[in-house]
Amino acid sequence: MKQTSTKLPISLALLTCIVCAFGFGLIALWVSDHQVRHFDQEIISVIGQLESPSMTRVMKFFTMIGSGIPVVIIILMAMFVLYKVLGHRRELLFLAAGVLGSVMLNTILKVLFQRARPEIHRIIEENGYSFPSGHSMTAFSMYAALTFLVWKHVPSRLGRILLIVLSSLLIVAIGTSRIYLGVHYPSDVVGGYFMSGCWMAACIWFYQRYEERRMLSLRSKSQHNGLHK
């Protein structure tokens, strides 16, 4: 079966990293200066109109799969497939670095900004600071990393489109659930997406740089050995 390359232009990954870093910087500035209240209130008002018992159950489900034990299970299953089934050890390290790095980065940023969580109409209770959303960052990093790694094993264009759509829907649903349940402002979620986008683009950039150098090294050794036969 023919495989499709996962490779993205390195310049595109670097550009994405810069754009996302700039986007996060703007959101962080607006949050710090309290200039984002109108945006937050408008989005909260729109999402609040969707409230119903069935919608609450759906949103609790998406929040559940966005952190904690479900995330650990998904990551461990992915690592098992990468290591035991596909034999992709470098990809395993990429996945671990992407997700764990995102979690650590979120922890640092929360302490740095110390934004209190919303107090209006909480459906569930959460502790800790609000900005940026940890669920949003974890979901973005995990599903973006998995999409990047699975991409080359999907042979058809339709399959790759469906992969991106499914990953995007999961990321958006998990972020939206945090707003719906009253534990995050919309700007927390958007800021989380921007920061994880920056982090994952940087991870992809470093990963592809490493892979290029590794392939050049292997090609050089192969040519060297061929000359000495």
Side-chain angles (χ1 to χ4, degrees):
M1 182 180 294
K2 185 179 178 180
Q3 290 185 342
T4 302
S5 174
T6 61
K7 187 175 177 181
L8 295 173
I10 289 181
S11 58
L12 178 59
L14 187 58
L15 178 62
T16 301
C17 179
I18 294 170
V19 170
C20 288
F22 181 74
F24 177 81
L26 284 179
I27 295 292
L29 180 62
W30 292 336
V31 167
S32 299
D33 291 344
H34 306 288
Q35 296 179 4
V36 77
R37 290 178 180 177
H38 180 70
F39 169 79
D40 284 336
Q41 290 170 356
E42 288 294 323
I43 302 298
I44 289 172
S45 177
V46 171
I47 293 178
Q49 295 175 11
L50 303 175
E51 186 175 344
S52 69
S54 58
M55 182 60 73
T56 297
R57 288 192 292 270
V58 170
M59 291 300 176
K60 284 183 176 180
F61 168 77
F62 281 116
T63 271
M64 179 192 69
I65 66 173
S67 69
I69 294 177
V71 167
V72 172
I73 292 174
I74 293 171
I75 294 298
L76 289 178
M77 289 176 60
M79 286 182 169
F80 176 81
V81 172
L82 287 170
Y83 188 80
K84 290 293 186 180
V85 179
L86 301 177
H88 292 173
R89 293 165 178 78
R90 292 181 302 278
E91 286 83 350
L92 184 151
L93 292 175
F94 168 83
L95 177 61
V99 177
L100 294 178
S102 180
V103 171
M104 294 175 61
L105 190 57
N106 178 259
T107 301
I108 294 170
L109 291 170
K110 280 182 181 291
V111 173
L112 179 63
F113 287 97
Q114 297 188 4
R115 188 186 195 188
R117 291 184 183 272
E119 295 291 342
I120 301 174
H121 192 56
R122 281 197 194 180
I123 297 177
I124 63 172
E125 288 299 322
E126 287 282 4
N127 297 317
Y129 296 118
S130 188
F131 181 82
S133 166
H135 277 68
S136 300
M137 286 189 65
T138 300
F140 193 109
S141 297
M142 180 172 68
Y143 291 113
L146 290 174
T147 298
F148 177 75
L149 295 176
V150 171
W151 178 273
K152 67 179 177 181
H153 300 288
V154 180
S156 68
R157 176 174 296 181
L158 177 60
R160 295 193 293 273
I161 292 173
L162 291 175
L163 175 65
I164 292 175
V165 170
L166 177 60
S167 298
S168 299
L169 288 176
L170 284 170
I171 291 169
V172 171
I174 290 170
T176 302
S177 74
R178 304 304 285 169
I179 303 169
Y180 178 94
L181 296 172
V183 292
H184 276 296
Y185 295 103
S187 52
D188 297 333
V189 173
V190 175
Y193 289 158
F194 272 126
M195 179 48 64
S196 278
C198 175
W199 171 248
M200 288 311 304
C203 288
I204 290 171
W205 184 80
F206 278 110
Y207 173 79
Q208 292 189 154
R209 289 269 295 180
Y210 170 80
E211 283 295 295
E212 281 196 353
R213 291 179 178 179
R214 188 178 71 86
M215 292 304 297
L216 286 173
S217 177
L218 290 175
R219 192 176 297 117
S220 176
K221 288 181 180 179
S222 177
Q223 292 174 348
H224 178 77
N225 293 334
L227 290 173
H228 288 79
K229 282 185 179 181

